[in-house]
Amino acid sequence: MDPGDDWLVESLRLYQDFYAFDLSGATRVLEWIDDKGVFVAGYESLKKNEILHLKLPLRLSVKENKGLFPERDFKVRHGGFSDRSIFDLKHVPHTRLLVTSGLPGCYLQVWQVAEDSDVIKAVSTIAVHEKEESLWPRVAVFSTLAPGVLHGARLRSLQVIDLESRKTTYTSDVSDSEELSSLQVLDADTFAFCCASGRLGLVDTRQKWAPLENRSPGPGSGGERWCAEVGSWGQGPGPSIASLGSDGRLCLLDPRDLCHPVSSVQCPVSVPSPDPELLRVTWAPGLKNCLAISGFDGTVQVYDATSWDGTRSQDGTRSQVEPLFTHRGHIFLDGNGMDPAPLVTTHTWHPCRPRTLLSATNDASLHVWDWVDLCAPR
Amino acid sequence: MCGAGFGHFEWLAGGGAGQDVGRSCILVSIAGKNVMLDCGMHMGFNDDRRFPDFSYITQNGRLTDFLDCVIISHFHLDHCGALPYFSEMVGYDGPIYMTHPTQAICPILLEDYRKIAVDKKGEANFFTSQMIKDCMKKVVAVHLHQTVQVDDELEIKAYYAGHVLGAAMFQIKVGSESVVYTGDYNMTPDRHLGAAWIDKCRPNLLITESTYATTIRDSKRCRERDFLKKVHETVERGGKVLIPVFALGRAQELCILLETFWERMNLKVPIYFSTGLTEKANHYYKLFIPWTNQKIRKTFVQRNMFEFKHIKAFDRAFADNPGPMVVFATPGMLHAGQSLQIFRKWAGNEKNMVIMPGYCVQGTVGHKILSGQRKLEMEGRQVLEVKMQVEYMSFSAHADAKGIMQLVGQAEPESVLLVHGEAKKMEFLKQKIEQELRVSCYMPANGETVTLPTSPSIPVGISLGLLKREMAQGLLPEAKKPRLLHGTLIMKDSNFRLVSSEQALKELGLAEHQLRFTCRVHLHDTRKEQETALRVYSHLKSVLKDHCVQHLPDGSVTVESVLLQAAAPSEDPGTKVLLVSWTYQDEELGSFLTSLLKKGLPQAPS
């Protein structure tokens, strides 16, 4: 039996369910549209890329009689072509519009998902201030009555554009040139940013630029790159911001005090990451205190941060933590150990099924997996 | 000669809607020949809607006269289910082509289907057992890659399609025009069948199923894992697993999978294979072995047994044994026989599981439980309560978007036609195929006709003498300038030759006629005709630098081989008549000179 078969037998114990797909092109994007479909998009620089709206197999959505649904395939519900590589894609909620960002980074592309056919068509562009060829603006969407697109490659170029009128409704209006690594809309008036240096901030768009942020040189002094994600916003006290560094450090922060992380742990990952731009940390929508990280290699690691509060060893160094679960499917099913090992480009949690994740790699594979919590009581 | 230039295809689809339920029946007209591709039953209907509507073909006469042949791609009922109806009830006596395994398996499935429809559902107006037999007498079985002459112009060839035992893709060729019909096929090999394969035959048109064209398939490994997990979980909790299967192939593949797993996990739970299956095995052995792969061949030995370590022959009595076990039994839709017997014994226990590996026809127990029914009425008004777990797993392999692109890449057709049952537009897929593979892509709806113009190339042999003569004229051939070549096209015995006129005349024993045209151009000139001729000569000499213009002693002027002579008509001394005369071959030059001269001569210097 080859190692792939061996792992498959192992997987019977490790996963409730497991699907593996081969896309026509690798994606760095996994964006949900309702809980039944995702968007993926290619990022090749020399040829046309496809944007696809994929409907998940029906059995992932039904609650009863799952056994009667034999279909295990994705259905391509819509598709479109892009000449540019796409590094970020956001769906504008309650509309049929998408906004994408890629290289060259001088504009954002707005797309429309057709209703009467299966085409995704480019409809307009949004110009950006910072016309740097090598940086692409991060994008987030305010899903208010009049949707607004938040974008920027650097702090000084942060703006919110009203999608319909194309008027600028907010600008950071600062001269700070720090490079952004992620943007996240939290509610109608608030967004969070994370710079590549590890600097984090929460911005209220009703005021002139005055973010709650951490300015201490704590993280990011060794040239690492950082990304962050805010978890359940406005749902009680406790650390709800996770920040991940390319050296494997994972910090949990309370928004009320960004300067002092609640906990700071070291994840057992191979460092440095081959492409720190691919780092991703996400909170599980259905599991308390659970996080997933990826971007270091071909795995996705799931952690339970419940017991991490104030985690620090006696000598003050960060303590090592062990993942609750490690998804190795991309290495065994696709890698075969011969080609250069695959690298996970992105991952996301299923909005409704607590332990189901999707993960994609640079060799165009896409997995949907439902891991078994071996520690939980049966 | 019959209408040279453009041939055309016409395609009419009688496809159905939905994914697992549908029917295939396609009519292709190619260079005057009419071929029917598949003749499927629509399984979702119980009335005449399940049969394709042949009336639009038959309105012009008998089917046998109209159709040159019928081709059946494989034994699934949505591809052959209407065949006996079509041949015996509507009426068709021409040849029906299919592969050997299809020929062996079709009648069995058709008979099963008939039994269910008539005996179980009491339907009238259905084909009889005798009709199935009579229909199969019209079948001509073909081998893979064998060129079969349907008549002296139409030929067909079958290619391996994977998918199920005996499934084939067919190339239909008339002269230099061809169509490839894929039927259902699969581009990834599985444990018992290889992947579809076709050579770079470059047909004018490739017709392929597109029901799965917009899917991205879950990997084979994950499907297998799903199956193993279900079986393992059931036997772990002490339950029994029933897997109704039709015949070899798929069943054998699942056995190999379980065997490997049992070995790896060191499991002791018994696995059984019902005797009905092993009996059929010998019968099909000769047919299906060349169609499967090496691994399968190794597990089969020419006794009534498969060579498995952990899998044994089943005995009826075993069904009552306590404890876990796995049983493969026929028939596949749980409509009769051993699988139904076992099902009745095990249905009441929720620890047990039945895994249905394919589509079940309406009216069968398989279909009922897959629809969610949990209380079944059996013979004698007995009600069976189904507490066992029912799992539906799709093992049959279809090509997805990636697979279709691969096959199109292999065959290199000029155009692709996607058959589908749904009305929704697949604009994205069409664009993708057109852009990436540089072929035209058509997606007609049911009942729609698609006409594709083709430009068939007709090879013509040109005689050496003719070529030499052209070369001797001295002018070098230029790629961008077309040269006018005069010759005679002789069509004899499907052979085309271009020869010189003299040779043609000689071969046909004819004498050559010479045609000469003379045109009168009136010129205003008071001088004598000799002087007019001289004026004409000077004029032409100065204008026509590229041509050989001569003034002959007898007063006439020649431009190459065109002769110009001036004459004076008696009526009007101020007018001279120029007679311009040329042979048929020099028409172009002659007309040119005439137009030129009609414009008049330049004023003579006094």
Side-chain angles (χ1 to χ4, degrees), chain A residues 25-95:
Chain A
T27 183
R28 278 172 59 156
V29 160
L30 277 173
E31 168 82 347
W32 288 93
I33 175 171
D34 60 51
D35 58 347
K36 298 193 173 59
V38 285
F39 285 97
V40 296
Y43 57 92
E44 298 238 22
S45 46
L46 293 174
K47 60 175 228 198
K48 265 197 187 220
N49 289 290
E50 289 178 3
I51 302 180
L52 301 175
H53 169 204
L54 303 174
K55 283 213 97 85
L56 267 59
L58 206 55
R59 49 172 38 205
L60 284 173
S61 320
V62 297
K63 302 263 178 350
E64 290 170 350
N65 283 329
K66 265 178 60 183
L68 297 180
F69 292 86
E71 290 301 317
R72 293 181 59 90
D73 306 328
F74 272 143
K75 270 211 97 62
V76 177
R77 180 66 190 86
H78 294 94
F81 297 99
S82 167
D83 289 322
R84 271 199 320 173
S85 48
I86 296 176
F87 292 131
D88 200 0
L89 184 152
K90 291 285 185 302
H91 169 237
V92 181
H94 314 299
T95 71

Side-chain angles (χ1 to χ4, degrees), chain A residues 186 201-202 212-213 230-234 236-241 252-260 262:
Chain A
L186 302 175
L202 301 168
L212 270 171
E213 57 175 316
V230 180
S232 44
W233 178 249
S240 56
I241 304 180
L252 296 187
L253 302 104
D254 189 313
R256 294 167 299 179
D257 183 5
L258 291 174
C259 296
H260 302 102
V262 172

Side-chain angles (χ1 to χ4, degrees), chain A residues 1-2 4-6 8-24 48 50-52 54 59 65 67-81 116-119 332-333, chain B residues 19-20 191 211-219 221-226 228-230 232-233 260-261 264-265 369-372 374 390-394 401-402 422 424-429 431-432 435-436:
Chain A
M1 249 184 152
D2 56 75
D5 274 350
D6 273 342
L8 206 63
V9 170
E10 264 296 289
S11 79
L12 290 175
R13 184 179 63 91
L14 297 171
Y15 300 88
Q16 195 53 40
D17 213 348
F18 183 45
Y19 304 73
F21 303 93
D22 265 324
L23 298 175
S24 53
K48 265 197 187 220
E50 289 178 3
I51 302 180
L52 301 175
L54 303 174
R59 49 172 38 205
N65 283 329
L68 297 180
F69 292 86
E71 290 301 317
R72 293 181 59 90
D73 306 328
F74 272 143
K75 270 211 97 62
V76 177
R77 180 66 190 86
H78 294 94
F81 297 99
D116 56 350
S117 79
D118 63 348
V119 165
F332 287 102
L333 277 195
Chain B
Q19 200 162 66
D20 284 319
R191 285 181 201 257
T211 315
Y212 293 87
T214 50
T215 58
I216 299 181
R217 297 217 92 204
D218 182 24
S219 75
R221 277 225 159 98
C222 290
R223 290 172 193 280
E224 291 181 340
R225 180 197 171 274
D226 198 25
L228 283 175
K229 190 164 204 301
K230 298 263 180 316
H232 186 229
E233 278 172 357
T260 320
F261 181 59
R264 171 72 165 68
M265 302 284 285
I369 59 174
L370 286 180
S371 312
R374 286 292 171 264
V390 178
E391 288 285 330
Y392 184 7
M393 293 200 178
S394 169
K402 196 168 162 196
E422 294 162 46
K424 77 169 186 317
K425 290 180 238 164
M426 291 197 274
E427 192 55 42
F428 170 66
L429 180 65
Q431 282 176 21
K432 190 174 148 90
Q435 282 176 29
E436 272 180 56

Side-chain angles (χ1 to χ4, degrees), chain B residues 433-450:
Chain B
I433 290 177
E434 287 180 338
Q435 282 176 29
E436 272 180 56
L437 300 168
R438 301 179 203 287
V439 293
S440 316
C441 183
Y442 300 87
M443 289 185 176
N446 282 345
E448 199 182 314
T449 305
V450 172

Side-chain angles (χ1 to χ4, degrees), chain B residues 362-538:
Chain B
Q362 265 195 31
T364 55
V365 169
H367 189 271
K368 290 185 183 144
I369 59 174
L370 286 180
S371 312
Q373 244 186 286
R374 286 292 171 264
K375 283 190 166 63
L376 303 172
E377 200 181 286
M378 312 296 275
E379 290 98 44
R381 296 275 188 113
Q382 276 191 309
V383 172
L384 179 67
E385 232 189 289
V386 180
K387 290 200 186 133
M388 80 193 302
Q389 256 187 280
V390 178
E391 288 285 330
Y392 184 7
M393 293 200 178
S394 169
F395 290 108
S396 94
H398 284 263
D400 59 3
K402 196 168 162 196
I404 292 175
M405 304 289 281
Q406 268 180 292
L407 188 79
V408 175
Q410 274 183 20
E412 290 192 12
E414 274 170 24
S415 306
V416 170
L417 192 142
L418 300 176
V419 184
H420 66 101
E422 294 162 46
K424 77 169 186 317
K425 290 180 238 164
M426 291 197 274
E427 192 55 42
F428 170 66
L429 180 65
K430 181 166 143 55
Q431 282 176 21
K432 190 174 148 90
I433 290 177
E434 287 180 338
Q435 282 176 29
E436 272 180 56
L437 300 168
R438 301 179 203 287
V439 293
S440 316
C441 183
Y442 300 87
M443 289 185 176
N446 282 345
E448 199 182 314
T449 305
V450 172
T451 305
L452 282 90
T454 61
S455 30
S457 65
I458 300 163
V460 174
I462 174 168
S463 80
L464 202 56
L466 196 59
L467 271 176
K468 278 191 178 156
R469 178 194 297 184
E470 276 302 307
M471 296 303 291
Q473 290 208 358
L475 297 164
L476 288 170
E478 275 177 75
K480 294 195 176 154
K481 246 185 172 175
R483 273 266 288 278
L484 193 60
L485 185 73
H486 273 128
T488 305
L489 183 67
I490 300 182
M491 299 181 291
K492 204 175 165 192
D493 303 326
S494 305
N495 222 344
F496 295 80
R497 281 183 305 131
L498 192 66
V499 300
S500 67
S501 315
E502 296 83 10
Q503 189 175 343
L505 289 167
K506 201 164 135 198
E507 279 186 30
L508 300 165
L510 297 170
E512 188 178 359
H513 288 71
Q514 287 281 338
L515 279 175
R516 205 167 180 86
F517 300 99
T518 305
C519 190
R520 291 180 137 73
V521 180
H522 293 261
L523 296 169
H524 185 69
D525 197 349
T526 49
R527 283 163 290 188
K528 291 201 182 119
E529 51 262 37
Q530 293 90 328
E531 286 182 39
T532 309
L534 192 60
R535 270 182 77 196
V536 169
Y537 167 68
S538 312

